[in-house]
């Protein structure tokens, strides 16, 4: 039990004993060319021959699981890595609480489990597709490298989910694995499964907001699935979370550096009023009100990923022991939730009010609440940068009712404070809250590539430290001539 050594020699690096599992090995080897085809078609455009200083997972020991080296992305070693099995792990919640964790798919929950894996799997390639044009406008080689790091790891996360499908779900797992390569972000006929993954990521501020807000939804979902009674899913997600931490680092520090550069430029120019937008933009930086609008957009789109506040699916998945709560193992209650309630924010008679719902039905709401609290921590750090530079401005998360397309508040138009607006007023004030065409054009005008080692575009500050402790002028990407 426990750790299987990583086999790094074959086509597919793995610690799941693929060498002894001929059926699954063949299935994955058959899937591999389609994956590479997808990567070449939909992966980072224009940089497939570049040498990128990437982190590759080579083990699952928390102390030394990765190595850094120059790699051409199509030659990245995408592998199947599960966190070590824990001896005698028990199902931690739901109606099977206390029973041995499942090592095989429990027949009665097969369809539900497959659906959870497919939905998670679908998000992984989607974000690569959304971000594929960004390399060309990277504000530095450091940032370009981080983009590609996130991209190859999302590719690995797809491998992680496809392994589970191929290993545990037979013919329908195989079909789902194929379909994951066929859907395309934003495609009108074969879109990705979830709304936020069909939106565009048109510029680098969007990329940082996406990795801050939307990858953080990924973290919450993975945390909930890491609790699963289906042990292979739990182990897969636990290892994915190790990689995911870097994605959120990219988002949080990315926005921090944008905010910092803006405030520094304002200070240098003697501007203290953050609403002197025209003057600030002339400095070649992004004004804070526009950064706020971008945050409003990405936060609200991401909240939709948590689904309906009251959800039978979520209740069923918990009851079955398949998907737990955020850090279920640290919570102190009966972990079954057959009784008890949870306050759910609802639209009642045109007013936003708390309403107690059965705890089991309110699990999406609860995960969303945990998410909002997690988001706030980084926002506080952004605000500290602004305050330290003496600019009177605070970035705020908008009200959860703002700009929603799924759940309670999809039926109404709330402003960022949660005040319900009449439809005409919403239309009129929309660009007070969300980026206008002019805002987008301005941001777009700043998206000029800066590919000289150690140099950064005008609108973003350099990072505090390099990746893998490399010096400031390190050439993170060696761009190929051809
Ligand atoms: Fe991921
Ligand atoms: Fe991610």
């Amino acid at each position: 039990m426990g750790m299987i050594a990583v086999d790094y020699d074959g086509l597919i690096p793995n610690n799941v004993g693929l060498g002894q599992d001929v059926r699954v090995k063949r299935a994955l080897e058959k899937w591999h060319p389609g994956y590479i085809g997808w990567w070449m078609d939909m992966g980072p455009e224009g940089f497939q021959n570049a040498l990128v200083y990437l982190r590759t997972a080579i083990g699952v020991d928390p102390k030394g699981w990765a190595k850094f080296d120059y790699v051409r992305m199509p030659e990245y070693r995408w592998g199947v890595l599960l966190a070590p099995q824990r001896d005698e792990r028990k199902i931690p919640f739901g109606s099977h609480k206390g029973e041995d964790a499942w090592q095989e798919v429990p027949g009665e929950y097969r369809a539900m489990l497959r659906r959870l894996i497919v939905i998670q799997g679908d998000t992984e390639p989607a974000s690569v597709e959304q971000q594929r044009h960004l390399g060309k406008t990277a504000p530095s080689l450091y940032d370009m490298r981080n983009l590609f790091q996130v991209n190859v790891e999302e590719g690995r996360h797809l491998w992680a989910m496809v392994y589970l499908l191929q290993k545990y779900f037979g013919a329908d797992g195989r079909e789902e694995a194929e379909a994951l390569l066929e859907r395309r972000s934003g495609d009108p006929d074969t879109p990705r499964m979830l709304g936020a993954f069909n939106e565009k990521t048109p510029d680098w501020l969007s990329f940082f907001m996406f990795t801050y807000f939307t990858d953080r939804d990924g973290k919450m979902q993975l945390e909930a699935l890491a609790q699963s009674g289906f042990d292979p899913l739990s182990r897969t997600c636990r290892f994915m979370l190790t990689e995911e931490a870097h994605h959120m680092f990219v988002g949080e520090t990315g926005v921090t550096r944008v905010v910092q550069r803006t405030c520094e430029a304002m200070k240098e120019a003697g501007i203290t009023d953050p609403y002197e937008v025209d003057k600030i933009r002339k400095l070649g930086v992004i004004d804070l009100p526009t950064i706020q609008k971008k945050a409003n957009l990405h936060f609200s789109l991401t909240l939709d990923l948590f689904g309906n506040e009251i959800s039978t699916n979520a209740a069923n998945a918990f009851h079955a022991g398949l998907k737990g709560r955020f850090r279920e193992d640290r919570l102190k209650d009966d972990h079954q939730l057959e009784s008890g309630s949870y306050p759910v924010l609802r639209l009642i008679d045109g007013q936003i009010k708390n309403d107690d719902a059965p705890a089991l039905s309110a699990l999406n709401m609860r995960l969303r609440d945990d998410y909002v609290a997690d988001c706030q921590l980084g926002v506080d750090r952004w605000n500290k940068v602004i305050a330290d530079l003496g600019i009177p401005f605070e970035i705020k998360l908008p009200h959860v009712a703002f700009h929603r397309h799924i759940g309670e508040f999809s039926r109404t138009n709330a402003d960022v404070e949660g005040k319900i607006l009449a439809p005409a007023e919403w239309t009129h004030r929309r660009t007070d809250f969300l980026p206008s065409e002019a805002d987008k054009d301005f941001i777009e005008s700043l998206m000029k590539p800066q590919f000289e080692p150690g140099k950064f575009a005008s609108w973003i500050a350099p990072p505090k430290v390099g990746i893998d402790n490399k010096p400031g002028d390190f050439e993170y990407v060696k761009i190929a001539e051809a």
Side-chain angles (χ1 to χ4, degrees), residues 31-92:
W31 186 79
H32 183 262
Y35 172 80
I36 295 294
W38 166 80
W39 179 268
M40 297 307 287
D41 283 354
M42 297 310 293
E45 195 183 71
F47 296 91
Q48 300 286 7
N49 286 318
L51 285 168
V52 187
Y53 193 70
L54 290 176
R55 167 177 92 174
T56 303
I58 51 162
V60 293
D61 182 342
K63 287 195 285 294
W65 58 273
K67 64 164 193 186
F68 287 85
D69 207 349
Y70 283 107
V71 183
R72 286 188 184 84
M73 285 183 280
E75 291 157 21
Y76 189 77
R77 303 300 309 277
W78 285 285
V80 177
L81 296 164
L82 273 57
Q85 191 163 357
R86 290 178 183 153
D87 289 334
E88 293 169 46
R89 180 169 177 261
K90 305 290 180 199
I91 298 167

Side-chain angles (χ1 to χ4, degrees), residues 278-470:
D278 291 340
K279 271 195 193 169
I280 294 165
R281 288 185 176 185
K282 286 209 179 82
L283 306 172
V285 296
I286 307 172
D287 52 286
L288 297 173
T290 298
I291 295 172
Q292 174 71 65
K293 288 187 205 175
K294 281 279 204 184
N296 292 346
L297 176 65
H298 287 270
F299 179 70
S300 58
L301 288 171
T302 305
L303 290 182
D304 282 339
L305 293 172
F306 291 86
N308 285 310
E309 286 83 349
I310 301 292
S311 163
T312 321
N313 282 344
N316 289 342
F318 185 88
H319 185 76
L322 299 180
K323 183 178 177 185
R325 288 169 292 176
F326 180 57
R327 299 184 175 158
E328 182 78 39
D329 47 0
R330 298 186 204 172
L331 299 174
K332 302 238 176 311
D333 59 22
D334 70 356
H335 302 280
Q336 292 190 307
L337 308 180
E338 300 294 345
S339 58
S341 63
Y342 189 84
V344 174
L345 219 46
R346 307 196 71 161
L347 190 64
I348 298 166
D349 301 329
Q351 302 226 335
I352 298 171
K353 287 184 189 161
N354 259 322
D355 185 28
D356 276 347
L360 205 49
S361 309
L363 286 164
N364 283 347
M365 176 75 199
R366 180 173 182 136
L367 193 60
R368 195 184 79 193
D369 283 344
D370 289 331
Y371 168 79
V372 173
D374 206 54
C375 283
Q376 185 63 47
L377 301 173
V379 174
D380 291 344
R381 287 189 282 266
W382 298 339
N383 285 329
K384 177 146 194 318
V385 171
I386 299 172
D388 286 352
L389 286 160
I391 307 293
F393 192 90
E394 219 180 287
I395 297 176
K396 292 195 180 102
L397 292 176
H399 194 281
V400 293
F402 168 74
H403 188 237
R404 298 296 306 282
H405 299 92
I406 287 180
E408 278 297 301
F409 306 115
S410 59
R411 302 178 275 127
T412 189
N413 295 303
D415 71 6
V416 289
E417 311 279 333
K419 193 172 146 255
I420 306 286
L421 303 183
E425 199 184 358
W426 163 258
T427 309
H428 183 66
R429 294 190 55 203
R430 188 187 163 93
T431 54
D432 293 350
F433 313 129
L434 293 168
S436 65
E437 288 309 313
D439 296 332
K440 292 180 199 168
D441 289 348
F442 170 69
I443 294 174
E444 164 109 38
S445 77
L446 292 181
M447 295 298 125
K448 307 243 171 63
Q450 175 51 273
F451 294 170
E452 216 176 299
K455 293 259 169 78
F456 290 81
S458 64
W459 53 271
I460 188 164
K464 283 209 174 68
V465 285
I467 293 294
D468 193 28
N469 282 316
K470 291 297 175 200

Side-chain angles (χ1 to χ4, degrees), residues 217-231:
D217 160 70
K219 166 184 156 179
M220 303 308 287
Q221 303 299 335
L222 292 175
E223 289 273 8
L225 293 172
Q227 302 289 337
S228 183
F230 179 55
D231 204 40

Side-chain angles (χ1 to χ4, degrees), residues 124 150 154 157 215 244 247:
E124 311 290 356
V150 171
E154 300 306 4
H157 294 174
D215 279 69
E244 201 62 45
H247 307 183

